[in-house]
Coordinates of all heavy atoms in Angstrom, one line a residue:
M1 N 173.3 -74.1 -116.3 CA 174.5 -73.8 -115.6 C 175.2 -72.6 -116.2 O 175.4 -72.5 -117.4 CB 175.4 -75.1 -115.7 CG 176.5 -75.0 -114.8 SD 177.1 -76.7 -114.6 CE 178.8 -76.5 -114.8
V2 N 175.6 -71.7 -115.3 CA 176.2 -70.4 -115.7 C 177.8 -70.6 -115.6 O 178.3 -71.0 -114.6 CB 175.8 -69.3 -114.9 CG1 176.4 -68.0 -115.3 CG2 174.3 -69.2 -114.9
K3 N 178.4 -70.2 -116.7 CA 179.9 -70.3 -116.7 C 180.4 -68.9 -116.4 O 179.9 -67.9 -116.9 CB 180.4 -70.7 -118.0 CG 180.1 -72.2 -118.3 CD 180.8 -72.6 -119.6 CE 180.5 -74.0 -119.9 NZ 181.1 -74.5 -121.1
R4 N 181.4 -68.8 -115.6 CA 182.0 -67.5 -115.2 C 183.3 -67.5 -115.9 O 184.2 -68.3 -115.7 CB 182.1 -67.4 -113.7 CG 180.7 -67.3 -113.1 CD 180.9 -67.0 -111.6 NE 179.6 -67.0 -111.0 CZ 179.3 -66.9 -109.8 NH1 180.3 -66.7 -109.0 NH2 178.1 -66.9 -109.3
F5 N 183.5 -66.4 -116.6 CA 184.8 -66.2 -117.3 C 185.6 -65.1 -116.6 O 185.0 -64.1 -116.2 CB 184.6 -65.8 -118.7 CG 184.0 -66.9 -119.5 CD1 182.6 -66.9 -119.8 CD2 184.7 -67.9 -120.0 CE1 182.0 -67.8 -120.6 CE2 184.2 -68.9 -120.8 CZ 182.8 -68.9 -121.1
R6 N 186.8 -65.3 -116.4 CA 187.7 -64.3 -115.9 C 188.0 -63.3 -117.0 O 188.3 -63.8 -118.2 CB 189.0 -64.9 -115.4 CG 188.9 -65.1 -113.9 CD 190.3 -65.3 -113.3 NE 190.7 -66.7 -113.7 CZ 191.9 -67.1 -113.6 NH1 192.9 -66.3 -113.2 NH2 192.2 -68.4 -113.9
K7 N 188.1 -62.1 -116.7 CA 188.5 -61.1 -117.7 C 189.9 -61.2 -118.0 O 190.8 -61.2 -117.1 CB 188.2 -59.7 -117.2 CG 188.4 -58.6 -118.2 CD 188.0 -57.3 -117.7 CE 188.1 -56.2 -118.8 NZ 187.7 -54.9 -118.3
I8 N 190.3 -61.5 -119.2 CA 191.7 -61.6 -119.6 C 192.2 -60.3 -120.1 O 191.7 -59.7 -121.0 CB 191.8 -62.7 -120.7 CG1 191.3 -64.0 -120.2 CG2 193.2 -62.8 -121.2 CD1 191.2 -65.1 -121.3
E9 N 193.2 -59.9 -119.4 CA 193.8 -58.6 -119.8 C 195.0 -58.8 -120.8 O 195.8 -59.7 -120.6 CB 194.4 -57.9 -118.6 CG 193.3 -57.5 -117.6 CD 193.9 -56.8 -116.4 OE1 195.1 -56.4 -116.4 OE2 193.1 -56.6 -115.4
K10 N 195.0 -58.0 -121.8 CA 196.1 -58.1 -122.7 C 197.3 -57.4 -122.1 O 197.2 -56.3 -121.7 CB 195.8 -57.5 -124.1 CG 194.7 -58.2 -124.8 CD 194.4 -57.6 -126.1 CE 193.3 -58.3 -126.8 NZ 193.0 -57.6 -128.1
K11 N 198.4 -58.1 -122.0 CA 199.6 -57.5 -121.5 C 200.4 -56.9 -122.6 O 200.8 -57.6 -123.5 CB 200.4 -58.5 -120.7 CG 199.5 -59.1 -119.5 CD 200.4 -59.6 -118.4 CE 199.4 -60.1 -117.3 NZ 200.1 -60.2 -116.1
R12 N 200.7 -55.6 -122.4 CA 201.5 -54.9 -123.4 C 202.9 -54.9 -122.8 O 203.1 -54.7 -121.6 CB 201.0 -53.5 -123.6 CG 199.7 -53.5 -124.3 CD 199.3 -52.0 -124.4 NE 198.4 -51.7 -123.4 CZ 198.2 -50.5 -122.9 NH1 198.8 -49.5 -123.3 NH2 197.3 -50.3 -121.9
P13 N 203.9 -55.0 -123.7 CA 205.3 -54.8 -123.2 C 205.5 -53.4 -122.8 O 205.1 -52.4 -123.5 CB 206.1 -55.2 -124.4 CG 205.2 -55.1 -125.6 CD 203.9 -55.3 -125.1
V14 N 205.9 -53.2 -121.6 CA 206.1 -51.8 -121.1 C 207.6 -51.6 -120.9 O 208.3 -52.4 -120.3 CB 205.4 -51.7 -119.7 CG1 205.6 -50.3 -119.1 CG2 203.9 -52.0 -119.9
D15 N 208.0 -50.5 -121.4 CA 209.4 -50.1 -121.2 C 209.5 -49.4 -119.9 O 208.8 -48.4 -119.6 CB 209.8 -49.1 -122.4 CG 211.3 -48.7 -122.3 OD1 212.0 -49.4 -121.6 OD2 211.6 -47.7 -122.9
G16 N 210.3 -49.9 -119.0 CA 210.5 -49.4 -117.7 C 211.0 -48.0 -117.6 O 210.6 -47.3 -116.7
N17 N 211.8 -47.6 -118.5 CA 212.3 -46.3 -118.5 C 211.3 -45.2 -118.8 O 211.4 -44.1 -118.4 CB 213.5 -46.2 -119.4 CG 214.7 -47.0 -118.9 OD1 214.8 -47.3 -117.8 ND2 215.5 -47.5 -119.9
T18 N 210.3 -45.5 -119.6 CA 209.4 -44.5 -120.1 C 208.5 -44.1 -118.9 O 208.3 -42.9 -118.7 CB 208.4 -45.1 -121.1 OG1 209.2 -45.6 -122.2 CG2 207.4 -44.1 -121.6
G19 N 208.1 -45.0 -118.0 CA 207.3 -44.6 -116.9 C 208.1 -43.8 -115.9 O 207.6 -42.8 -115.3
R20 N 209.4 -44.1 -115.7 CA 210.2 -43.3 -114.8 C 210.5 -41.9 -115.4 O 210.5 -41.0 -114.6 CB 211.6 -44.0 -114.6 CG 211.4 -45.2 -113.7 CD 212.8 -45.7 -113.3 NE 212.7 -47.2 -113.4 CZ 213.7 -47.9 -113.8 NH1 214.8 -47.5 -114.2 NH2 213.5 -49.2 -113.9
F21 N 210.6 -41.9 -116.7 CA 210.9 -40.5 -117.3 C 209.7 -39.6 -117.1 O 209.8 -38.5 -116.7 CB 211.1 -40.7 -118.8 CG 211.1 -39.4 -119.5 CD1 212.2 -38.5 -119.5 CD2 210.0 -39.0 -120.3 CE1 212.2 -37.3 -120.1 CE2 210.0 -37.8 -120.9 CZ 211.1 -36.9 -120.8
W22 N 208.5 -40.1 -117.3 CA 207.3 -39.3 -117.2 C 207.0 -38.9 -115.7 O 206.5 -37.8 -115.4 CB 206.1 -39.9 -117.8 CG 206.2 -39.8 -119.3 CD1 206.3 -40.9 -120.2 CD2 206.2 -38.6 -120.1 NE1 206.5 -40.4 -121.5 CE2 206.4 -39.0 -121.5 CE3 206.1 -37.3 -119.8 CZ2 206.4 -38.1 -122.5 CZ3 206.1 -36.4 -120.9 CH2 206.3 -36.8 -122.2
A23 N 207.3 -39.8 -114.8 CA 207.2 -39.5 -113.4 C 208.2 -38.4 -112.9 O 207.8 -37.5 -112.2 CB 207.4 -40.8 -112.5
A24 N 209.4 -38.5 -113.4 CA 210.4 -37.5 -113.1 C 210.0 -36.2 -113.8 O 210.1 -35.1 -113.1 CB 211.8 -37.9 -113.5
F25 N 209.5 -36.2 -115.0 CA 209.1 -35.0 -115.7 C 207.9 -34.4 -114.9 O 207.9 -33.1 -114.8 CB 208.7 -35.4 -117.1 CG 208.2 -34.2 -117.9 CD1 209.1 -33.3 -118.4 CD2 206.9 -33.9 -118.1 CE1 208.7 -32.2 -119.2 CE2 206.4 -32.8 -118.8 CZ 207.4 -32.0 -119.3
S26 N 207.0 -35.2 -114.5 CA 205.9 -34.6 -113.7 C 206.3 -34.0 -112.4 O 205.8 -32.9 -112.1 CB 204.9 -35.8 -113.4 OG 203.9 -35.3 -112.5
D27 N 207.2 -34.6 -111.7 CA 207.8 -34.0 -110.5 C 208.5 -32.7 -110.8 O 208.3 -31.7 -110.0 CB 208.7 -35.0 -109.8 CG 208.0 -36.2 -109.2 OD1 206.8 -36.1 -109.0 OD2 208.7 -37.2 -108.9
A28 N 209.3 -32.7 -111.8 CA 210.0 -31.4 -112.1 C 209.1 -30.3 -112.6 O 209.2 -29.2 -112.2 CB 211.0 -31.7 -113.2
Y29 N 208.1 -30.7 -113.3 CA 207.1 -29.7 -113.8 C 206.3 -29.1 -112.7 O 206.1 -27.9 -112.5 CB 206.2 -30.3 -114.9 CG 205.2 -29.4 -115.5 CD1 205.6 -28.5 -116.5 CD2 203.9 -29.4 -115.1 CE1 204.7 -27.6 -117.0 CE2 203.0 -28.5 -115.6 CZ 203.4 -27.6 -116.6 OH 202.5 -26.8 -117.2
T30 N 205.9 -30.0 -111.8 CA 205.1 -29.6 -110.6 C 205.9 -28.6 -109.7 O 205.5 -27.6 -109.2 CB 204.6 -30.8 -109.8 OG1 203.8 -31.6 -110.6 CG2 203.8 -30.3 -108.6
F31 N 207.2 -29.0 -109.5 CA 208.1 -28.2 -108.7 C 208.3 -26.8 -109.3 O 208.3 -25.8 -108.7 CB 209.4 -28.9 -108.4 CG 210.4 -28.0 -107.7 CD1 210.1 -27.6 -106.4 CD2 211.5 -27.6 -108.3 CE1 211.0 -26.8 -105.7 CE2 212.4 -26.7 -107.7 CZ 212.2 -26.4 -106.4
G32 N 208.5 -26.8 -110.6 CA 208.7 -25.5 -111.3 C 207.6 -24.6 -111.2 O 207.7 -23.4 -111.0
I33 N 206.4 -25.1 -111.4 CA 205.2 -24.3 -111.3 C 205.0 -23.8 -109.9 O 204.7 -22.6 -109.7 CB 203.9 -25.1 -111.8 CG1 204.1 -25.4 -113.3 CG2 202.6 -24.4 -111.5 CD1 204.1 -24.2 -114.2
T34 N 205.2 -24.7 -108.9 CA 205.0 -24.3 -107.5 C 206.0 -23.2 -107.2 O 205.7 -22.2 -106.5 CB 205.3 -25.5 -106.6 OG1 204.4 -26.5 -107.0 CG2 205.1 -25.1 -105.2
L35 N 207.3 -23.3 -107.7 CA 208.3 -22.3 -107.4 C 207.9 -21.0 -108.0 O 208.0 -19.9 -107.4 CB 209.6 -22.8 -107.9 CG 210.8 -21.9 -107.7 CD1 211.1 -21.8 -106.2 CD2 212.1 -22.5 -108.4
L36 N 207.5 -21.0 -109.3 CA 207.2 -19.7 -109.9 C 205.9 -19.1 -109.3 O 205.9 -17.8 -109.1 CB 206.9 -20.0 -111.4 CG 208.1 -20.3 -112.3 CD1 207.7 -20.7 -113.7 CD2 209.1 -19.1 -112.3
V37 N 204.9 -19.8 -109.0 CA 203.7 -19.2 -108.4 C 204.0 -18.7 -107.0 O 203.6 -17.5 -106.7 CB 202.6 -20.3 -108.3 CG1 201.4 -19.8 -107.5 CG2 202.1 -20.6 -109.7
S38 N 204.8 -19.4 -106.2 CA 205.0 -18.9 -104.8 C 205.9 -17.7 -104.9 O 205.7 -16.7 -104.2 CB 205.6 -20.0 -104.0 OG 206.9 -20.4 -104.4
M39 N 207.0 -17.7 -105.8 CA 207.8 -16.5 -105.9 C 207.0 -15.3 -106.4 O 207.2 -14.2 -105.9 CB 208.9 -16.8 -106.9 CG 210.1 -17.6 -106.4 SD 211.3 -18.0 -107.6 CE 211.7 -16.4 -108.3
G40 N 206.1 -15.6 -107.4 CA 205.3 -14.5 -107.9 C 204.4 -13.9 -106.8 O 204.3 -12.7 -106.6
L41 N 203.7 -14.8 -106.1 CA 202.7 -14.3 -105.1 C 203.4 -13.5 -104.0 O 203.0 -12.4 -103.6 CB 201.9 -15.4 -104.6 CG 200.8 -16.0 -105.5 CD1 200.2 -17.2 -104.8 CD2 199.8 -15.0 -105.9
F42 N 204.5 -14.2 -103.4 CA 205.2 -13.5 -102.3 C 205.9 -12.3 -102.8 O 206.0 -11.3 -102.1 CB 206.2 -14.5 -101.7 CG 205.5 -15.4 -100.7 CD1 205.1 -16.7 -101.1 CD2 205.3 -15.1 -99.4 CE1 204.5 -17.6 -100.2 CE2 204.7 -15.9 -98.5 CZ 204.3 -17.2 -98.9
G43 N 206.4 -12.3 -104.1 CA 207.0 -11.1 -104.6 C 206.1 -9.9 -104.7 O 206.4 -8.8 -104.4
V44 N 204.9 -10.2 -105.2 CA 203.8 -9.1 -105.3 C 203.5 -8.6 -103.9 O 203.4 -7.4 -103.7 CB 202.6 -9.7 -106.1 CG1 201.4 -8.7 -105.9 CG2 203.0 -9.9 -107.5
V45 N 203.3 -9.5 -103.0 CA 203.0 -9.0 -101.6 C 204.1 -8.2 -101.1 O 203.9 -7.1 -100.5 CB 202.7 -10.2 -100.7 CG1 202.6 -9.8 -99.2 CG2 201.4 -10.9 -101.1
G46 N 205.4 -8.6 -101.3 CA 206.5 -7.8 -100.8 C 206.6 -6.5 -101.5 O 207.0 -5.5 -100.9
Y47 N 206.3 -6.5 -102.8 CA 206.4 -5.2 -103.5 C 205.4 -4.2 -103.0 O 205.7 -3.0 -102.8 CB 206.1 -5.5 -105.0 CG 206.0 -4.2 -105.8 CD1 207.1 -3.5 -106.2 CD2 204.7 -3.7 -106.2 CE1 207.0 -2.3 -107.0 CE2 204.6 -2.5 -107.0 CZ 205.8 -1.9 -107.3 OH 205.7 -0.7 -108.1
Y48 N 204.1 -4.6 -102.8 CA 203.1 -3.7 -102.3 C 203.4 -3.3 -100.8 O 203.1 -2.2 -100.4 CB 201.7 -4.3 -102.4 CG 201.2 -4.2 -103.9 CD1 201.0 -5.3 -104.6 CD2 201.0 -2.9 -104.4 CE1 200.6 -5.2 -105.9 CE2 200.6 -2.8 -105.7 CZ 200.4 -4.0 -106.5 OH 200.0 -3.9 -107.8
L49 N 204.0 -4.2 -100.1 CA 204.4 -3.8 -98.7 C 205.5 -2.8 -98.7 O 205.5 -1.8 -97.9 CB 204.9 -5.1 -97.9 CG 205.1 -4.9 -96.5 CD1 203.8 -4.5 -95.7 CD2 205.6 -6.3 -95.9
D50 N 206.5 -2.9 -99.7 CA 207.5 -1.9 -99.9 C 206.9 -0.6 -100.3 O 207.3 0.5 -99.8 CB 208.5 -2.3 -100.9 CG 209.6 -3.3 -100.4 OD1 209.9 -3.2 -99.2 OD2 210.0 -4.1 -101.1
E51 N 205.9 -0.6 -101.2 CA 205.3 0.6 -101.6 C 204.5 1.3 -100.5 O 204.5 2.5 -100.3 CB 204.3 0.3 -102.7 CG 205.0 0.0 -104.1 CD 205.7 1.2 -104.7 OE1 205.1 2.3 -104.7 OE2 206.8 1.0 -105.2
W52 N 203.9 0.5 -99.6 CA 203.1 1.0 -98.5 C 204.0 1.7 -97.4 O 203.7 2.7 -96.9 CB 202.3 -0.1 -97.9 CG 201.3 0.3 -96.8 CD1 200.4 1.3 -96.8 CD2 201.3 -0.3 -95.5 NE1 199.8 1.4 -95.6 CE2 200.3 0.4 -94.8 CE3 201.9 -1.3 -94.9 CZ2 199.9 0.1 -93.5 CZ3 201.6 -1.7 -93.6 CH2 200.6 -0.9 -92.9
V53 N 205.2 1.0 -97.1 CA 206.1 1.4 -96.1 C 207.1 2.4 -96.6 O 207.8 3.1 -95.8 CB 206.7 0.2 -95.4 CG1 207.7 0.6 -94.3 CG2 205.7 -0.7 -94.9
H54 N 207.2 2.6 -97.9 CA 208.2 3.5 -98.6 C 209.6 3.0 -98.3 O 210.4 3.8 -97.8 CB 208.0 4.9 -98.2 CG 206.6 5.4 -98.6 ND1 206.2 5.6 -99.9 CD2 205.6 5.8 -97.8 CE1 205.0 6.1 -99.9 NE2 204.5 6.2 -98.6
T55 N 209.9 1.8 -98.5 CA 211.3 1.3 -98.3 C 211.9 0.8 -99.6 O 211.2 0.8 -100.6 CB 211.3 0.1 -97.3 OG1 210.5 -0.9 -97.8 CG2 210.8 0.5 -95.9
L56 N 213.2 0.5 -99.5 CA 213.8 -0.1 -100.7 C 213.2 -1.5 -100.9 O 212.4 -1.9 -100.1 CB 215.3 -0.2 -100.4 CG 216.0 1.1 -100.3 CD1 217.5 0.9 -99.9 CD2 216.0 1.9 -101.6
P57 N 213.6 -2.2 -101.9 CA 212.9 -3.5 -102.1 C 213.4 -4.6 -101.1 O 213.6 -5.8 -101.5 CB 213.4 -3.9 -103.6 CG 214.6 -3.1 -103.8 CD 214.5 -1.9 -103.0
T58 N 213.4 -4.3 -99.9 CA 213.8 -5.2 -98.9 C 212.7 -6.3 -98.6 O 213.0 -7.5 -98.5 CB 214.1 -4.5 -97.5 OG1 213.0 -3.7 -97.2 CG2 215.4 -3.7 -97.6
F59 N 211.5 -5.8 -98.5 CA 210.4 -6.8 -98.3 C 210.2 -7.6 -99.6 O 209.9 -8.8 -99.4 CB 209.1 -6.0 -97.9 CG 209.1 -5.5 -96.6 CD1 209.1 -4.1 -96.4 CD2 209.1 -6.3 -95.5 CE1 209.1 -3.6 -95.1 CE2 209.1 -5.8 -94.2 CZ 209.1 -4.4 -94.0
T60 N 210.4 -7.1 -100.7 CA 210.2 -7.9 -102.0 C 211.2 -9.0 -102.0 O 210.9 -10.2 -102.2 CB 210.4 -7.0 -103.2 OG1 209.5 -5.9 -103.1 CG2 210.2 -7.7 -104.5
V61 N 212.5 -8.7 -101.7 CA 213.5 -9.7 -101.7 C 213.3 -10.7 -100.6 O 213.4 -12.0 -100.8 CB 214.9 -9.1 -101.6 CG1 216.0 -10.2 -101.4 CG2 215.2 -8.3 -102.8
A62 N 212.9 -10.3 -99.4 CA 212.6 -11.2 -98.3 C 211.5 -12.1 -98.6 O 211.5 -13.3 -98.3 CB 212.4 -10.3 -97.0
F63 N 210.4 -11.6 -99.1 CA 209.2 -12.4 -99.4 C 209.5 -13.4 -100.6 O 209.0 -14.5 -100.5 CB 208.0 -11.5 -99.7 CG 207.3 -11.1 -98.5 CD1 207.8 -10.2 -97.6 CD2 206.0 -11.6 -98.2 CE1 207.2 -9.8 -96.5 CE2 205.4 -11.2 -97.0 CZ 205.9 -10.3 -96.2
I64 N 210.3 -13.0 -101.5 CA 210.7 -13.9 -102.6 C 211.5 -15.1 -102.0 O 211.3 -16.2 -102.4 CB 211.4 -13.2 -103.7 CG1 210.4 -12.4 -104.6 CG2 212.1 -14.2 -104.7 CD1 211.1 -11.5 -105.6
L65 N 212.4 -14.8 -101.1 CA 213.2 -15.8 -100.5 C 212.3 -16.8 -99.6 O 212.5 -18.0 -99.6 CB 214.3 -15.2 -99.6 CG 215.4 -14.5 -100.4 CD1 216.4 -13.9 -99.5 CD2 216.1 -15.5 -101.3
I66 N 211.3 -16.2 -99.0 CA 210.4 -17.0 -98.2 C 209.6 -17.9 -99.2 O 209.4 -19.1 -98.9 CB 209.4 -16.1 -97.4 CG1 210.2 -15.5 -96.2 CG2 208.2 -16.9 -96.8 CD1 209.4 -14.4 -95.5
G67 N 209.2 -17.4 -100.3 CA 208.5 -18.2 -101.3 C 209.3 -19.3 -101.8 O 208.9 -20.5 -102.0
I68 N 210.6 -19.1 -102.1 CA 211.5 -20.1 -102.5 C 211.7 -21.2 -101.4 O 211.6 -22.4 -101.7 CB 212.9 -19.5 -102.9 CG1 212.7 -18.7 -104.2 CG2 213.9 -20.6 -103.1 CD1 214.0 -17.9 -104.5
Y69 N 211.8 -20.8 -100.2 CA 212.0 -21.7 -99.1 C 210.7 -22.6 -99.0 O 210.9 -23.8 -98.8 CB 212.2 -21.0 -97.8 CG 212.1 -21.8 -96.6 CD1 213.1 -22.8 -96.2 CD2 210.9 -21.7 -95.8 CE1 212.9 -23.6 -95.1 CE2 210.8 -22.5 -94.7 CZ 211.8 -23.5 -94.3 OH 211.6 -24.3 -93.3
L70 N 209.6 -22.0 -99.0 CA 208.3 -22.8 -98.9 C 208.2 -23.7 -100.1 O 207.6 -24.8 -99.9 CB 207.1 -21.8 -98.7 CG 207.1 -21.0 -97.4 CD1 205.9 -20.1 -97.5 CD2 207.0 -22.0 -96.2
S71 N 208.5 -23.3 -101.2 CA 208.4 -24.2 -102.4 C 209.3 -25.5 -102.2 O 208.9 -26.6 -102.5 CB 208.8 -23.5 -103.7 OG 208.0 -22.5 -103.9
F72 N 210.6 -25.2 -101.8 CA 211.5 -26.4 -101.6 C 210.9 -27.3 -100.5 O 211.0 -28.5 -100.5 CB 212.9 -25.9 -101.3 CG 213.7 -25.7 -102.5 CD1 213.9 -24.4 -103.0 CD2 214.3 -26.7 -103.1 CE1 214.6 -24.2 -104.1 CE2 215.1 -26.5 -104.3 CZ 215.2 -25.2 -104.8
R73 N 210.4 -26.7 -99.4 CA 209.8 -27.4 -98.3 C 208.7 -28.3 -98.7 O 208.6 -29.5 -98.4 CB 209.4 -26.5 -97.2 CG 208.9 -27.2 -96.0 CD 208.7 -26.2 -94.9 NE 208.1 -26.9 -93.7 CZ 207.3 -26.4 -92.9 NH1 206.9 -25.1 -93.0 NH2 206.8 -27.1 -91.9
V74 N 207.8 -27.8 -99.5 CA 206.6 -28.6 -100.0 C 207.1 -29.7 -101.0 O 206.7 -30.8 -100.9 CB 205.6 -27.7 -100.8 CG1 204.7 -28.5 -101.6 CG2 204.9 -26.8 -99.8
F75 N 208.1 -29.4 -101.8 CA 208.7 -30.4 -102.7 C 209.3 -31.5 -102.0 O 209.1 -32.7 -102.3 CB 209.7 -29.7 -103.7 CG 210.3 -30.6 -104.7 CD1 209.5 -31.2 -105.7 CD2 211.6 -30.9 -104.6 CE1 210.1 -32.0 -106.6 CE2 212.2 -31.7 -105.5 CZ 211.4 -32.3 -106.5
I76 N 210.1 -31.2 -101.0 CA 210.8 -32.2 -100.2 C 209.8 -33.1 -99.5 O 210.0 -34.3 -99.4 CB 211.9 -31.6 -99.3 CG1 213.0 -31.1 -100.2 CG2 212.4 -32.6 -98.3 CD1 214.0 -30.2 -99.4
K77 N 208.8 -32.5 -98.9 CA 207.8 -33.3 -98.2 C 207.1 -34.2 -99.1 O 206.8 -35.3 -98.8 CB 206.8 -32.3 -97.5 CG 207.3 -31.8 -96.2 CD 206.2 -31.0 -95.5 CE 206.6 -30.6 -94.1 NZ 205.5 -29.9 -93.4
D78 N 206.8 -33.7 -100.3 CA 206.1 -34.5 -101.3 C 206.9 -35.7 -101.8 O 206.5 -36.8 -101.8 CB 205.7 -33.7 -102.5 CG 204.9 -34.4 -103.5 OD1 203.9 -35.2 -103.1 OD2 205.1 -34.3 -104.7
I79 N 208.2 -35.5 -102.0 CA 209.1 -36.5 -102.4 C 209.3 -37.6 -101.3 O 209.2 -38.8 -101.5 CB 210.5 -36.0 -102.8 CG1 210.4 -35.1 -104.1 CG2 211.5 -37.1 -103.0 CD1 209.9 -35.9 -105.3
N80 N 209.4 -37.1 -100.0 CA 209.5 -38.0 -98.9 C 208.2 -38.9 -98.7 O 208.3 -40.1 -98.5 CB 209.8 -37.3 -97.6 CG 211.2 -36.8 -97.6 OD1 212.1 -37.4 -98.2 ND2 211.5 -35.8 -96.8
R81 N 207.1 -38.2 -98.9 CA 205.8 -38.9 -98.8 C 205.7 -40.0 -99.9 O 205.3 -41.1 -99.6 CB 204.6 -38.0 -98.9 CG 203.3 -38.6 -98.8 CD 202.1 -37.6 -98.9 NE 202.2 -36.8 -100.0 CZ 201.8 -37.1 -101.2 NH1 201.3 -38.2 -101.5 NH2 201.9 -36.2 -102.2
R82 N 206.1 -39.7 -101.1 CA 206.0 -40.6 -102.2 C 207.0 -41.8 -102.0 O 206.7 -42.9 -102.3 CB 206.3 -40.0 -103.5 CG 205.2 -39.1 -104.0 CD 205.5 -38.5 -105.4 NE 204.6 -37.5 -105.7 CZ 204.6 -37.0 -106.9 NH1 205.5 -37.3 -107.8 NH2 203.7 -36.1 -107.2
G83 N 208.1 -41.5 -101.4 CA 209.1 -42.5 -101.1 C 208.6 -43.5 -100.1 O 208.8 -44.7 -100.2
R84 N 207.9 -43.0 -99.1 CA 207.3 -43.9 -98.0 C 206.2 -44.8 -98.6 O 206.2 -45.9 -98.3 CB 206.8 -43.1 -96.9 CG 207.9 -42.7 -95.9 CD 207.3 -42.1 -94.7 NE 208.0 -40.9 -94.4 CZ 207.5 -39.7 -94.4 NH1 206.3 -39.5 -94.6 NH2 208.3 -38.6 -94.1
V85 N 205.4 -44.2 -99.5 CA 204.3 -45.0 -100.1 C 204.9 -46.0 -101.0 O 204.5 -47.2 -101.0 CB 203.3 -44.0 -100.8 CG1 202.4 -44.8 -101.7 CG2 202.6 -43.1 -99.8
K86 N 205.9 -45.6 -101.8 CA 206.5 -46.6 -102.7 C 207.2 -47.7 -102.0 O 207.2 -48.9 -102.5 CB 207.5 -45.8 -103.6 CG 208.1 -46.6 -104.7 CD 208.9 -45.8 -105.6 CE 209.4 -46.6 -106.8 NZ 210.3 -45.7 -107.6
N87 N 207.8 -47.5 -100.9 CA 208.5 -48.5 -100.1 C 207.5 -49.3 -99.2 O 207.9 -50.2 -98.6 CB 209.6 -47.9 -99.2 CG 210.7 -47.3 -100.0 OD1 210.9 -47.7 -101.2 ND2 211.4 -46.3 -99.5
G88 N 206.2 -48.9 -99.2 CA 205.3 -49.7 -98.5 C 205.2 -49.4 -97.0 O 204.6 -50.1 -96.2
Q89 N 205.6 -48.2 -96.6 CA 205.5 -47.8 -95.2 C 204.3 -47.0 -94.9 O 203.8 -46.3 -95.7 CB 206.8 -47.1 -94.8 CG 208.0 -47.9 -94.8 CD 209.2 -47.1 -94.5 OE1 209.2 -45.9 -94.4 NE2 210.3 -47.8 -94.3

């Protein structure tokens, strides 16, 4: 006769604030990197477009603002998606 044993997991005391801290840190870090990368890429594109058209840094500023807008849009969509998953919807 074969005995089946359930795997017993050791339960460690978990501090609830530690998990929330690292989740918030991860979100902030991800947003910061996304913001910097998008500003950099769009800024470079705007700079070279200004050089090509021989204008003042209008395209550079415009493209940096577009990069900032898109970063915030992605961040807000991600937060909303995580909120729906967390709430079970």
